[in-house]
Amino acid sequence: MPILDVGPNLDDPSSRGGRTYDQRAENRAKIWLTLAMWGSTFVAFTLLSLLGSDRAPGPAAAMRAAVMLLGIGFCYALHRLLQSMRSRRFSTRAATLIIAAPVVAEIFAWINYFGFAWLSGAPLAFVVEDWNAAIRQLLLYTWFFIAWSGLYLAIEYSFLARGEQQRAAELQIHAHRAKLRALSNQLNPHFLFNSLNSISALVLEGKREDGDKALGLLSSYFRQTLSLDPIADLPLWRELDFHRTYLAVEQLRYPDMQVQIDLPDSLRDAAVPALILQPIIENAIKHGVARSKPPTVVRVVAGADAGRLVLRVENKGATEARAPRGEGHGIGLDNIRGRLRERFGSEQELATITKEDGFEVKLSFPLTFL
């Protein structure tokens, strides 16, 4: 299901207020359409004149060129009319052009008829001497302007639809980023509560010096992490450095806890979503270390398998390990699932494994480097 279902709405004037497509490209397409149609018409009629043994091909061609330039001017006038209606619905603009085009065509046809009648020697009395020729002119240029109008509207519709698709894509990206930020920011109060709870426990146990040290470490942690873009990727070495600081805070509370971080040199610059391991490591402390007899171990292992980055967080204790709240479906893990799903779609996996001496969370996604 798409994050935001936004389709083209070409009849919505507000959607044209901030057009995202290239207006110059649209205008160029309309100019080429007009020049191509009038140019081909000029060439066709000039060839017919030459093949028909016209007695004055030069003056006729000059008259034809002048009339064609006038026709281009009429097309420009129709274009300006539609430009003045840019805030109107597309259907209204199309109807206006369909009505105006036959009127312009009739005016042009009569100018063309009387112009060539004058060139052939008839006085400018604006009297129709050959109704068959006049009607042919009217039908020809009526269909010409209707065809031009149809192609003109097709170009405009095409660019409008393309602009709306681009706008919809941009809205989807903004919605996607907003959702990722919301998922990331949801963890901050949860993490802060757990951290302050650990420091409070140190103070209550009379370990004020350790409490002060933990506050300093926590302050350093937040100073580094709060400046991060929650939807940015980090190199894996930096991600693990943040968690070393947090684990150092927890080691003050659980001095018998061992921390093992295995990071191969080849994966130091692997790209990972910022602080993606934070809730897993918190769970390892809260649901593993805190409920086990010392000694306990928290281990973070990075590896690669078939083009995928595999990260494992394990906690081991001397008593039976318990899964995180909800059998692996607590707030933290659900949040990670949501972030991975938004970031990688179906190309990600998060698995929880209960062992005899502990608990393991494994996540994997495509391996890329920064």
Side-chain angles (χ1 to χ4, degrees):
M1 181 179 294
I3 299 172
L4 186 62
D5 187 14
V6 180
N9 186 6
L10 304 183
D11 279 344
D12 182 5
S14 64
S15 69
R16 290 193 299 273
R19 292 184 176 185
T20 56
Y21 62 87
D22 189 346
Q23 182 70 55
R24 292 182 180 179
E26 179 187 341
N27 288 336
R28 283 195 299 268
K30 292 175 179 177
I31 290 171
W32 279 112
L33 165 69
T34 305
L35 293 179
M37 290 189 67
W38 282 112
S40 60
T41 302
F42 174 81
V43 171
F45 281 138
T46 301
L47 289 175
L48 288 174
S49 176
L50 292 174
L51 294 174
S53 300
D54 196 329
R55 288 176 293 179
M63 174 63 74
R64 191 172 294 110
V67 172
M68 296 298 174
L69 288 176
L70 179 63
I72 292 174
F74 281 173
C75 288
Y76 179 73
L78 291 172
H79 168 74
R80 294 299 300 174
L81 172 64
L82 293 185
Q83 289 297 298
S84 68
M85 301 172 62
R86 287 181 66 175
S87 61
R88 304 290 183 88
R89 295 174 179 271
F90 178 81
S91 55
T92 303
R93 290 153 53 85
T96 300
L97 183 58
I98 291 172
I99 293 171
V103 176
V104 171
E106 183 167 349
I107 296 172
F108 178 82
W110 284 118
I111 292 174
N112 184 75
Y113 173 80
F114 287 115
F116 276 94
W118 172 80
L119 185 66
S120 63
L124 279 177
F126 301 106
V127 176
V128 179
E129 297 182 357
D130 186 351
W131 277 101
N132 288 332
I135 291 174
R136 283 197 301 269
Q137 293 282 335
L138 285 171
L139 291 176
L140 171 66
Y141 287 108
T142 297
W143 283 112
F144 179 93
F145 275 93
I146 289 176
W148 177 86
S149 300
L151 293 173
Y152 180 98
L153 291 174
I155 289 173
E156 182 158 307
Y157 186 94
S158 173
F159 276 89
L160 278 173
R162 189 183 308 173
E164 286 300 313
Q165 289 173 356
Q166 179 181 343
R167 179 171 171 267
E170 290 173 355
L171 288 174
Q172 284 186 330
I173 291 172
H174 290 321
H176 172 74
R177 289 178 175 174
K179 189 170 184 179
L180 284 175
R181 283 194 173 94
L183 286 170
S184 180
N185 293 336
Q186 182 184 18
L187 292 176
N188 289 336
H190 187 265
F191 173 77
L192 181 60
F193 172 80
N194 286 339
S195 301
L196 292 178
N197 187 53
S198 294
I199 294 172
S200 175
L202 288 172
V203 174
L204 291 175
E205 293 170 4
K207 301 179 181 178
R208 291 201 168 196
E209 186 175 341
D210 288 342
D212 290 341
K213 187 176 180 181
L215 278 174
L217 289 169
L218 188 62
S219 174
S220 175
Y221 179 89
F222 276 114
R223 185 168 55 250
Q224 297 176 70
T225 58
L226 289 178
S227 62
L228 293 175
D229 183 348
I231 66 172
D233 286 346
L234 296 179
L236 184 54
W237 67 265
R238 191 179 181 199
E239 168 84 6
L240 294 180
D241 274 354
F242 288 141
H243 301 308
R244 282 191 178 95
T245 303
Y246 171 68
L247 287 167
V249 172
E250 294 298 339
Q251 279 183 305
L252 292 172
R253 184 178 179 187
Y254 304 106
D256 293 316
M257 180 181 73
Q258 299 179 28
V259 175
Q260 299 175 1
I261 297 180
D262 299 338
L263 174 61
D265 289 339
S266 60
L267 296 177
R268 284 180 56 82
D269 293 322
V272 295
L275 304 179
I276 194 68
L277 296 178
Q278 175 185 303
I280 302 176
I281 292 176
E282 283 187 76
N283 281 344
I285 302 294
K286 182 177 179 180
H287 300 285
V289 174
R291 298 183 181 185
S292 302
K293 296 179 181 179
T296 54
V297 177
V298 173
R299 187 179 181 214
V300 182
V301 182
D305 181 22
R308 299 172 66 82
L309 179 65
V310 180
L311 300 175
R312 293 187 291 118
V313 178
E314 308 172 14
N315 65 268
K316 297 182 179 181
T319 60
E320 182 181 355
R322 299 182 185 179
R325 177 173 57 86
E327 295 301 324
H329 296 279
I331 293 175
L333 292 184
D334 278 344
N335 188 286
I336 294 176
R337 284 190 178 92
R339 290 184 65 190
L340 291 176
R341 192 181 306 115
E342 291 297 323
R343 177 69 172 79
F344 301 106
S346 61
E347 297 183 355
Q348 51 77 32
E349 182 182 5
L350 188 151
T352 57
I353 306 168
T354 302
K355 300 180 178 180
E356 292 183 0
D357 60 346
F359 194 79
E360 176 183 323
V361 177
K362 182 177 75 172
L363 54 93
S364 65
F365 45 84
L367 174 61
T368 57
F369 291 91
L370 295 176

